[in-house]
Amino acid sequence: MTDSVQTPRTEPVRHRDDRLRRALFRFSQSKLSMIGAAIVAVVLFFAVFGTVLAPFPGHVAGAVDTANQFQAPSAAHLFGTNELGQDVLSLVMAGTTVSVLAGFGVVLIGSVIGTLVGAVAGFVGGWTDEGLMRLTDLTLTIPSLILAMAIAAALGPGFTNMVIAISLSWWPGYARLVRGEVLAAREEVYVTAARAIGASPARILFRHILPNVVSPIIVKMSLDMGFAILTVAGLGFIGIGVRPPTPEWGTLLSLSRANMPGYWWTAMAPGLAMFLAVFGFNLLGDGLRDILDPKARR
Amino acid sequence: MTGPLLSIRDLHLTMTSFDGAAHVLNGIDLTVQRGEIWGLVGESGCGKSLTGLSISRLVPTPPATYRKGEIRFEGRDILKLPLREMQDLRGKRIGMIFQDPTTNLNPAYRVGEQLIDVALAAASHDPSVLGCPPGAGRRERRRAARRLAGEMLERVGIPDAGARLDNYPHEFSGGMRQRVLIAMALIGRPDLLIADEPTTALDVSVQAQILKLLKGTVADHDIGVILITHNLGVVAETCSHVAVMYAGNIVESGPVSNVIESPAHPYTRALMAAIPTKASKRGTLKGLGGTVPNLITPPPGCRFAPRCPLAIPACTAALPGAVDLGADHRAACIRLEALEHV
Amino acid sequence: MSEPILQIENVSKTYAARRALFGRTAEVRALKDVSISVQKGESFGLVGESGSGKTTLTRSILHLETPSAGRILFEGQDLARLSPADLRRLRARVQIVFQDPYASLNPRMSVRDIVTEPMLVHHDILGLSRTQRTDRAAELLSLVGLGPQHLTRYPHEFSGGQRQRICIARALASGPELLLLDEPTSALDVSVQAQVLNLLCELQDRLGLTYFFISHDLAVVRYLCSRVALIYRGELVEEGTTDEIFDTPKSDYARMLIGAMPEVKVRRGATA
């Protein structure tokens, strides 16, 4: 071999996790993202262990203690008790599970449907694109809460139906995002290269295009988590969502409405929980966008 | 003649990132007189563009820090100027042209509008640019600016310039856009023009025209030009002087005829040997193995030593100083004598 | 030797371009009656500036685009008449290396996945098992001057020249006979360009490949190619051996291009 074919080996050997370390470094540079991540970690912790760690597990299961109704916040009951004498803190802690699970379910189902619709529309193009995008527009024209209410009313109340109902009004955002990203990725040179190799359309879509549009989807999912939790709570508030005694933030807030303003603490804990969760997921989403969005990269 | 138009002395620039501090400019010395076109050549990542950007002080600090050195423009140290005065220098006294003509024009405005804006801004510092009387009204000044914009477009060889002022950037081809940018850079009558790869994205025929235009401008207005390029052919045909950069150092500099005809530094020789010419037989081109070193932990001594065919142990001892070869031709290498015999 | 591998016969391509806001479509003729014949084992250079139709022609050869008129024959077979299955088989034998090594590798795939992909796609022809594919990928990498240690790395870890070598390895993976080289060195530094050009020469000698080299850089074409065609605004302007074109150009366009070529016309300092 001539000297021309020698490998330039002077470059330092870099490792695969290099990218991850860089990403973490960039993420940790932003204080707000770190705060967001911390809040989200706390919320997720309570989503998993909230029911177990609740100081009054009996109240979570539905036990009432009318002798102690409407106790103001104290050492025994940090956020006081409600009209049934139940510990508000315990209910809110246990409610995290339902709220976060429902929010996650909504975002997951919504993003899967939306990604499929958007990817097919963007990749196939032509009339398929027209048809799918008009359907998306149509769904977008109906206010999502009203659509979810209508679907929930048709399906009947309950956790699963509520998640499905919100998901069905949630996907158009993802469909539009993914369609745009797929349209851009389709023009990448490496996609042309794959076509020149003779790769099948399915292979091009799933191996070359979709992996490169995952980042914005993840960012949107994270940003959406907060709003999904709010929507879930909204349905609970109207009374279409989870029924008591299963604790859920929206339902808790709805019930405490009657106790305002005298027994303000019954509303404060669920409200604060919702605020923190939405705030945390939004900060985390912003931070993720900074490190995952290719346009923000150097 | 008073001092030089631009003089860079021992300039050191450090860039701090996640990986550490990279010494991207490591003692740059460069003097540009009026009427000279300096070619700045080297592989990508050698600090050519950073040198150009430093002169306009467009390198963001942080992450960059200037550890040492000075950049004197007509005797004033640019690195110490207040931002306000620096902004006056940019565009007005120091013009810049970048590689990609598509991203440097605002697509939402007509080309004429953009040129007029620049002309009016330049006139606010030097009213003579527009050539109207001191007390001229806004209308009059605007009319004069438009006339000047048309003249500039004509000068850079855009046919039917007056009518083209009302076109949007997308209505121009790549070569035409680059001419518009050159017109924009020249409209404020700069004394120093920094052109960073102005023709790299263009076809050879257009490139030849633009380089000719650049040479003509220097001859007509007695300005100084720094032409950043990776193409030694462009340097040979356009420039009066050349500085070869490697890993943050100028390894060889001097008048083009001297440097190109008798390159002294092994790096310059390697770059020239890599260019396919009429005489090169198929498969015999001399590539240069290896890559530009990592500047966070640069190799000790001469930064080119790891890739240099003539390196000896002494090369890694210290950064070699520039050796004067006569007629302003300098090379930073301790193996120059060995080279004579190769 | 004088057997044509690729014949482009009177190929034209017109696009409908929308001019004004309302209707009034005008046609853009990207290619006008272009005929080229490439012989087996030679390096054929196609020179043209931007907008000359080079890219349209390349895409037509790859059958990513269908000509409006004329035929493209690969070893005597008309591309337009091939069944989808035959066309897919043909893709294994005609491969391409693109200009921009930064854009032409999928950033989410490892070098192993990139280089083995053509073998996976053409599994029916090549019939390589998973381990055989990895072995072959390692072999290809050493052929282009990289090594098996690079298999598990990702494109962002490589320099431009190294990426272009990966692209060449990928192009060679399906065992092609014809390689389209679409300005493979114009995004690289001269020092790296020289290495890649030498690699291409060496690979051609070793594997008996045919090159269809597309470029706007006359110096590179002169170095690598034995025959050259000049294309200007979709039309073939001049065609001949490299020496003919460079020493005795017949068309004004060829003379203008050669005149505009920036050259270092000096004696060479000897280098190691």
Side-chain angles (χ1 to χ4, degrees):
Chain A
M1 269 205 193
T2 64
D3 63 336
S4 66
V5 197
Q6 264 174 15
T7 323
R9 286 208 179 80
T10 44
E11 271 202 1
V13 178
R14 298 210 206 111
H15 299 287
R16 221 207 120 174
D17 58 75
D18 188 58
R19 203 144 65 164
L20 185 68
R21 283 196 303 125
R22 271 166 194 282
L24 284 178
F25 173 77
R26 288 182 53 145
F27 191 78
S28 64
Q29 289 302 92
S30 153
K31 281 208 180 64
L32 282 179
S33 315
M34 291 304 281
I35 293 173
I39 297 175
V40 168
V42 170
V43 170
L44 291 181
F45 177 80
F46 282 119
V48 178
F49 299 109
T51 320
V52 187
L53 293 177
F56 295 87
H59 293 172
V60 174
V64 292
D65 182 9
T66 35
N68 281 324
Q69 71 171 172
F70 294 132
Q71 298 272 319
S74 64
H77 302 283
L78 272 179
F79 288 98
T81 62
N82 64 6
E83 73 280 3
L84 299 172
Q86 294 167 320
D87 179 41
V88 175
L89 177 66
S90 298
L91 294 183
V92 169
M93 277 169 76
T96 315
T97 316
V98 173
S99 292
V100 169
L101 209 61
F104 187 68
V106 165
V107 167
L108 193 69
I109 298 175
S111 63
V112 168
I113 300 176
T115 302
L116 279 177
V117 171
V120 170
F123 189 63
V124 177
W127 286 108
T128 317
D129 184 20
E130 282 297 322
L132 287 173
M133 288 332 281
R134 291 303 80 80
L135 178 71
T136 309
D137 291 345
L138 197 69
T139 317
L140 272 177
T141 54
I142 308 167
S144 59
L145 199 64
I146 303 215
L147 181 65
M149 275 167 64
I151 298 172
L155 295 173
F159 179 80
T160 320
N161 287 348
M162 175 186 67
V163 170
I164 292 174
I166 305 176
S167 304
L168 288 182
S169 69
W170 207 267
W171 62 270
Y174 289 92
R176 286 187 152 190
L177 171 80
V178 171
R179 175 178 175 268
E181 294 286 333
V182 167
L183 280 181
R186 210 171 60 160
E187 301 303 318
E188 292 283 349
V189 183
Y190 55 79
V191 173
T192 312
R195 289 175 68 195
I197 285 169
S200 63
R203 187 176 177 82
I204 290 173
L205 181 58
F206 289 105
R207 197 87 175 88
H208 294 276
I209 294 181
L210 281 183
N212 285 293
V213 303
V214 163
S215 300
I217 299 177
I218 290 179
V219 171
K220 187 169 166 57
M221 282 175 82
S222 170
L223 285 171
D224 272 5
M225 260 306 275
F227 298 111
I229 290 175
L230 270 188
T231 310
V232 169
L235 282 196
F237 190 84
I238 309 170
I240 312 183
V242 184
R243 284 293 163 88
T246 312
E248 192 270 330
W249 294 344
T251 323
L252 291 173
L253 206 59
S254 168
L255 292 174
S256 65
R257 201 173 26 158
N259 310 327
M260 293 295 276
Y263 310 111
W264 52 269
W265 55 85
T266 52
M268 197 180 79
L272 210 58
M274 253 185 266
F275 165 75
L276 272 180
V278 175
F279 187 58
F281 276 110
N282 271 314
L283 288 184
L284 178 72
D286 278 341
L288 284 178
R289 180 169 51 203
D290 287 347
I291 60 167
L292 288 178
D293 196 330
K295 275 157 243 150
R297 273 189 207 154
R298 73 195 145 80
Chain B
M1 189 149 191
T2 50
L5 181 64
L6 177 83
S7 115
I8 302 177
R9 285 286 154 266
D10 198 30
L11 187 68
H12 288 254
L13 175 65
T14 305
M15 284 282 203
T16 313
S17 69
F18 166 63
D19 298 300
H23 309 291
V24 286
L25 295 182
N26 193 29
I28 300 291
D29 284 302
L30 190 68
T31 305
V32 180
Q33 307 279 1
R34 284 179 185 273
E36 290 179 346
I37 305 182
W38 272 83
L40 218 53
V41 290
E43 288 166 283
S44 3
C46 280
K48 299 174 303 213
S49 291
L50 281 173
T51 306
L53 289 173
S54 292
I55 298 167
S56 306
R57 223 166 82 187
L58 287 174
V59 184
T61 49
T65 39
Y66 290 95
R67 285 184 298 131
K68 241 169 104 182
E70 54 180 33
I71 302 173
R72 290 196 177 276
F73 179 73
E74 292 187 325
R76 289 196 288 171
D77 190 349
I78 279 176
L79 295 179
K80 295 203 175 72
L81 278 186
L83 192 61
R84 180 77 226 148
E85 283 177 48
M86 191 60 224
Q87 280 163 348
D88 287 352
L89 278 186
R90 270 182 219 149
K92 168 74 189 80
R93 309 289 312 278
I94 303 176
M96 288 209 78
I97 307 170
F98 296 98
Q99 176 176 351
D100 189 353
T102 47
T103 53
N104 286 295
L105 284 170
N106 189 333
Y109 292 92
R110 296 173 201 276
V111 161
E113 287 298 314
Q114 303 187 46
L115 285 167
I116 289 169
D117 278 351
V118 177
L120 288 176
S124 66
H125 305 300
D126 178 6
S128 71
V129 169
L130 293 181
C132 9
R138 228 178 59 102
R139 266 256 175 84
E140 203 176 329
R141 285 157 45 87
R142 220 182 143 70
R143 214 173 303 126
R146 189 180 163 88
R147 199 168 48 238
L148 179 65
E151 277 166 25
M152 285 311 294
L153 280 197
E154 212 171 304
R155 281 244 317 272
V156 297
I158 289 182
D160 198 13
R164 296 290 264 168
L165 283 176
D166 290 324
N167 287 18
Y168 286 93
H170 71 89
E171 295 171 280
F172 288 80
S173 68
M176 289 290 180
R177 270 181 235 161
Q178 192 60 287
R179 288 167 199 231
V180 171
L181 282 173
I182 293 178
M184 200 177 275
L186 293 177
I187 205 164
R189 292 196 209 145
D191 299 287
L192 178 67
L193 186 67
I194 299 162
D196 191 349
E197 306 264 10
T199 58
T200 306
L202 305 177
D203 287 325
V204 274
S205 53
V206 184
Q207 166 171 290
Q209 292 165 6
I210 294 216
L211 294 177
K212 202 173 145 207
L213 170 72
L214 211 56
K215 276 166 96 165
T217 309
V218 173
D220 294 349
H221 298 277
D222 197 34
I223 66 172
V225 174
I226 294 180
L227 178 66
I228 298 166
T229 175
H230 63 272
N231 190 331
L232 272 168
V234 166
V235 170
E237 299 209 339
T238 316
C239 299
S240 62
H241 295 72
V242 59
V244 182
M245 287 193 72
Y246 184 76
N249 292 113
I250 289 180
V251 294
E252 183 165 2
S253 66
V256 158
S257 51
N258 298 38
V259 175
I260 301 274
E261 270 169 34
S262 47
H265 198 282
Y267 181 61
T268 316
R269 293 190 173 202
L271 278 186
M272 292 190 50
I275 305 169
T277 62
K278 202 159 168 45
S280 12
K281 288 274 167 295
R282 197 173 181 280
T284 59
L285 217 50
K286 292 268 198 308
L288 178 58
T291 48
V292 177
N294 171 1
L295 295 179
I296 292 168
T297 49
C302 174
R303 290 180 168 187
F304 185 59
R307 296 170 79 185
C308 182
L310 297 168
I312 52 171
C315 287
T316 57
L319 194 67
V323 179
D324 203 333
L325 303 168
D328 270 345
H329 185 183
R330 291 185 189 82
C333 180
I334 58 168
R335 296 280 284 155
L336 291 177
E337 282 113 60
L339 273 162
E340 302 292 323
H341 308 296
V342 179
Chain C
M1 187 64 197
S2 59
E3 183 190 337
I5 186 165
L6 176 74
Q7 287 157 283
I8 296 164
E9 293 182 346
N10 311 99
V11 166
S12 298
K13 174 79 188 175
T14 30
Y15 293 103
R18 220 168 283 151
R19 290 226 82 165
L21 192 56
F22 299 103
R24 280 253 329 265
T25 55
E27 285 189 334
V28 174
R29 303 193 71 184
L31 292 172
K32 289 173 213 163
D33 201 21
V34 172
S35 296
I36 290 171
S37 169
V38 180
Q39 311 298 312
K40 211 164 216 149
E42 76 169 335
S43 300
F44 188 91
L46 182 70
V47 176
E49 305 196 294
S50 47
S52 61
K54 286 178 298 185
T55 312
T56 309
L57 190 58
T58 323
R59 292 178 64 91
S60 303
I61 296 170
L62 287 168
H63 209 70
L64 297 175
E65 223 150 301
T66 348
S68 317
R71 302 193 300 168
I72 296 176
L73 307 162
F74 180 77
E75 293 190 328
Q77 290 174 292
D78 187 347
L79 292 189
R81 288 163 184 272
L82 289 179
S83 67
D86 286 339
L87 189 66
R88 219 173 56 77
R89 233 162 275 146
L90 178 103
R91 296 216 187 278
R93 304 172 59 196
V94 183
Q95 270 304 308
I96 180 161
V97 176
F98 291 97
Q99 171 176 9
D100 185 353
Y102 292 90
S104 52
L105 297 173
N106 185 340
R108 305 267 172 189
M109 282 166 79
S110 70
V111 171
R112 180 214 310 269
D113 290 344
I114 289 169
V115 178
T116 56
E117 184 169 38
M119 305 178 221
L120 198 64
V121 167
H122 296 290
H123 187 253
D124 49 337
I125 311 169
L126 304 164
L128 296 173
S129 71
R130 198 182 146 74
T131 43
Q132 281 173 316
R133 287 198 296 266
T134 306
D135 290 348
R136 174 99 179 103
E139 206 178 292
L140 286 165
L141 284 184
S142 43
L143 194 64
V144 298
L146 297 169
Q149 74 275 17
H150 295 119
L151 279 173
T152 52
R153 307 249 212 110
Y154 283 77
H156 73 101
E157 298 173 59
F158 294 90
S159 66
Q162 288 175 314
R163 285 184 205 218
Q164 205 55 301
R165 288 169 194 266
I166 297 169
C167 292
I168 295 172
R170 168 177 64 187
L172 295 176
S174 56
E177 284 128 77
L178 175 64
L179 217 53
L180 306 184
L181 302 162
D182 187 359
E183 311 227 15
T185 61
S186 62
L188 306 174
D189 277 316
V190 269
S191 54
V192 180
Q193 164 175 290
Q195 294 173 24
V196 171
L197 288 178
N198 284 352
L199 172 67
L200 289 172
C201 292
E202 200 185 300
L203 289 174
Q204 186 167 40
D205 295 345
R206 205 190 279 192
L207 306 172
L209 298 166
T210 307
Y211 287 161
F212 189 77
F213 193 94
I214 301 123
S215 183
H216 68 271
D217 188 338
L218 287 161
V220 170
V221 169
R222 182 177 57 191
Y223 177 70
L224 195 77
C225 301
S226 46
R227 282 202 307 138
V228 182
L230 300 183
I231 186 169
Y232 178 68
R233 294 203 175 159
E235 279 179 283
L236 212 59
V237 180
E238 194 167 346
E239 191 191 339
T241 67
T242 309
D243 292 341
E244 280 168 10
I245 300 271
F246 282 89
D247 296 338
T248 53
K250 288 182 201 72
S251 59
D252 292 341
Y253 183 65
R255 275 190 287 273
M256 188 278 289
L257 269 190
I258 293 166
M261 208 171 138
E263 274 214 271
V264 185
K265 302 175 188 92
V266 284
R267 63 190 163 80
R268 280 294 174 70
T271 335

